Amino acid sequence: MTFRPRTVNRRVFVACLSLLFLTALGSRIAPESLKPRAASPVRTESLIGHWSSPIPMPAIPIHTHVLPNKKVLFWGRDQVGGADVDNKSQPYVWNPATPAATPVAIPTPATNLFCSGHAFLQDGRLFVAGGHDKVDNEGERHTNIFNPVNNTWTAGPAMNAGRWYPTSTALNNGEILTVSGTYWDGVTLNQDGSHRIQKNELPQVRTTTGALRDLTTARTQMVNAQRSISLYPWMMLAPDGRVFQAGPEQVKSFISAGGAGGWADAGRNSLYPFRDAGSAVMYEPGKVLIVGGGGPPTNTAETIDLNTANGWQWTGSMQYPRRHMNATILADGKVLATGGTSVGNGMDVGFNDASGSVLPAEMWDPATGAWTTMASMAVRRLYHSTAVLLPDGTVLSAGGGGPPGSNGDSNHFDAEIYSPPYLFRGQRPTITSAPNNVKYGETFFVGTPEAAGDMTVSLVRLSSVTHSFNENQRFVRLSHPSVTLAAGGLNVTAPTNKNALPPGHYMLFILNGSGVPSVAKIISVQDYEGSHEVADCNQISGWAWNRNDPNTPINVDIYAGSTHIATVAANLYRQDLFNAGKGDGRHAFVYNVPSHLRNGQMQTISVRYAGSYSNLVWSPRSMICGASLFPNPSGTITSVSGGGSTWEQATQFSSTMSGKVTHIRFYKVPQETGSHVGRIWSDTGAQLVQQPFAGETASGWQEVQLTTPLQITAGVRYRVSYNVNSYGGKILGGLGSPITNGPLTAHTGLYTTPAGTFPNTGSVSNFLADIKFSAP
């Protein structure tokens, strides 16, 4: 068949030619009626999103965290005159709802937190492991906890050795695994006299009691295999409860965090050799995206499905190679890549090269595996930049900078907010009501006037990110039958799998059929409603109520850690004082803790559901608790004669958490006759408390309650003493110095003469001056 061109109508051809001529001449000769109308502007934000103008920040947000109260905690690298500040940091809390407001400074008590690892505890506090000990590579042993309720820092127990560049991961039981990091042991030198930096090969777990557990078997396996794990490794809770090490190195591993732990080969390797300074994210339970990194940087990406035997494969490549990038899960489950540089070859060449800065963001769709180029930010975000999903569905991209080098990036004391395309595609659904706390497997109600059958729900864990990796981010999508229509809203059933959804705080978004998300409601997903870390509790009490049936007495289960210890009736009715004659649904319970649990050790006391109550809430009313240096000593107590004179005998002590001293105790032998006085001193000699003992027995432990409890500060040393008449020291057999029980440590015995003066002479005896301590 032969195709012939169509004949063009001559009059049409002349008319078109005339129109082109008039258009070319412009408005000088064209009449107003013939001028072309301006086209309506295309709203490109619905395709590529939109970046805000830069927002000034008082520090470079190198470590950034979204708190349960929807605020943002961040800190940078604290330096004075180019030298790192020792033993302190200046974190800030900033409210994205009022971005122009000055961030609030919340200084740390005793740690430089730069280059630490971090993840949120199940109660919403932030656990921070390690930090910066004066110079690069030399990590701190410190652990710290930030409480967003009152913006306070509390010191935790010290780790086995320092950790600089560690990773912390939330586990399915509320514990936190910390791996990797470097340190200097304070002794070993290289041949040139420089500090020999060592890798911390001992993984440790922060238990729900606040103590640290060493994974000694895991360490032995790593040493024997002569394998090493990268700094800031990409660690993620896997579907089987182990933790998957997804990179950046090519060889993958699993670590078991129970007991003494253990490493296992994952039996699969990355398709790309080494993704240094890339990023990784678990975009669905058990499904991991790793992207970018390398030297020179790559634009490739891979996925692995840990739910299947052979789930590793290439996915779409980005348009731009990137290292020092960030990957952030959005409210709809897509992944946003921001920042990075497209040039450089690791630490040797172009480590933080600004000449290759990548300003456009890119978005990955897990449904198609394709990347789409988004709007461009105004400021370079390379090394030391961070990105987090905010509760309003936007992304905060912040910081970046150093070391400068010849082409290095400068320091950026600012942030930008990216609004994804889904915020420009119609009206957002709204959440009018939702519970604060949700139990695993519970069906709960989310109020929304836009309820429809095509709505989905997403749960996004709060971010805790540094050095291109978000150590806390996870995503779970819920749809029918887990999401169903109800009058005025949605019935949503929470997942039952803690490996998919480890206990803690999540942003709950509802999304309409067009994929437009609401502003998130922050919820706590737990198998109980609340917990408190306590030591040596004699009694706990609280209010419990069931929102679904507020005026019916209920039972509650009480746990110590993960062990069920009692079921107690909450049956003491409380009347609503603001609505006479009606109950407010609260019923009180009281529980006397058995003696075998009053051992001075820190433990998590929690109240959980009993029966089928779907909306139980617990708020503490009171706790009678106290930890001691020598709670129930089982060793032999040997007394030593003091030669007939009076003595002031003391123990130097400290606590890993701030709190209050409520009692002074001492162990009395029969020869110690007469009355005694207890005292507490500062470590420099100031007397802080003086309290006489009353009602003493002939021998054994004596104690007196302080008229006014003494507030003490975590990490600070004090001395507790009592005066001894006619008899000298006592030695507790089988124990050395220091002695640690729960948060308390007895560092050494001290004495002086005469009684009533500051005890400042060291001794291996005199240990049995004691206190009772209560956490705040």
Side-chain angles (χ1 to χ4, degrees), residues 51-54 359-360 375-381 412 414 416:
W51 286 95
S52 73
S53 299
L359 297 179
S376 296
M377 61 180 74
V379 179
R380 297 186 300 270
R381 306 289 178 194
H412 299 296
D414 55 26
E416 298 166 88

Side-chain angles (χ1 to χ4, degrees), residues 296-379:
T298 181
N299 66 342
T300 63
E302 307 167 57
T303 61
I304 180 171
D305 187 350
L306 298 175
N307 303 293
T308 64
N310 298 298
W312 202 289
Q313 61 185 1
W314 291 109
T315 187
S317 294
M318 299 180 293
Q319 179 178 346
Y320 302 93
R322 301 173 190 259
R323 58 180 283 113
H324 302 308
M325 59 174 292
N326 283 278
T328 307
I329 301 177
L330 301 181
D332 61 358
K334 295 179 181 177
V335 178
L336 187 74
T338 52
T341 178
S342 61
V343 300
N345 188 25
M347 292 296 295
D348 300 324
V349 179
F351 171 74
N352 192 36
D353 199 325
S355 68
S357 301
V358 182
L359 297 179
E362 295 186 68
M363 187 180 297
W364 181 73
D365 187 344
T368 64
W371 293 88
T372 304
T373 303
M374 297 287 117
S376 296
M377 61 180 74
V379 179

Side-chain angles (χ1 to χ4, degrees), residues 437-440 459 494-495 501-506 523-527:
N437 307 286
V438 173
K439 181 188 176 185
Y440 286 101
L459 296 172
L501 203 74
H505 287 76
Y506 292 80
I523 66 169
S524 172
V525 181
Q526 308 282 350
D527 57 1

Side-chain angles (χ1 to χ4, degrees), residues 427-489:
Q427 182 179 355
R428 305 184 70 171
T430 55
I431 296 176
T432 56
S433 65
N436 294 323
N437 307 286
V438 173
K439 181 188 176 185
Y440 286 101
E442 173 187 354
T443 298
F444 59 96
F445 179 74
V446 177
T448 175
E450 296 87 12
D454 56 357
M455 275 191 162
T456 59
V457 171
S458 59
L459 296 172
V460 187
R461 193 171 172 93
L462 301 180
S463 287
S464 179
V465 61
T466 189
H467 289 75
S468 299
F469 181 59
N470 194 323
E471 300 177 38
N472 213 62
Q473 133 180 284
R474 296 183 74 87
F475 177 88
V476 173
R477 188 193 314 274
L478 302 176
S479 57
H480 186 81
S482 296
V483 179
T484 58
L485 281 174

Side-chain angles (χ1 to χ4, degrees), residues 708-733:
T708 302
L710 173 68
Q711 298 293 327
I712 65 172
T713 303
V716 175
R717 293 194 181 193
Y718 301 85
R719 304 184 186 190
V720 55
S721 69
Y722 67 101
N723 61 302
V724 177
N725 294 313
S726 304
Y727 225 76
K730 289 176 288 294
I731 301 173
L732 180 60

Side-chain angles (χ1 to χ4, degrees), residues 155-157 535-536 599-602 625-631 651-663 665 712-716 718 720 738-747 769-775:
D536 211 28
N599 57 7
Q601 300 296 319
M602 292 301 297
C625 308
S628 296
L629 297 168
F630 315 101
T651 300
Q652 186 185 56
F653 71 93
S654 65
S655 172
T656 59
M657 60 175 59
S658 298
K660 57 191 176 183
V661 175
T662 58
H663 297 72
R665 306 172 73 227
I712 65 172
T713 303
V716 175
Y718 301 85
V720 55
I739 298 172
T740 298
N741 280 297
L744 300 178
T745 296
H747 295 283
D770 196 7
I771 60 162
K772 274 193 172 180
F773 167 84
S774 177

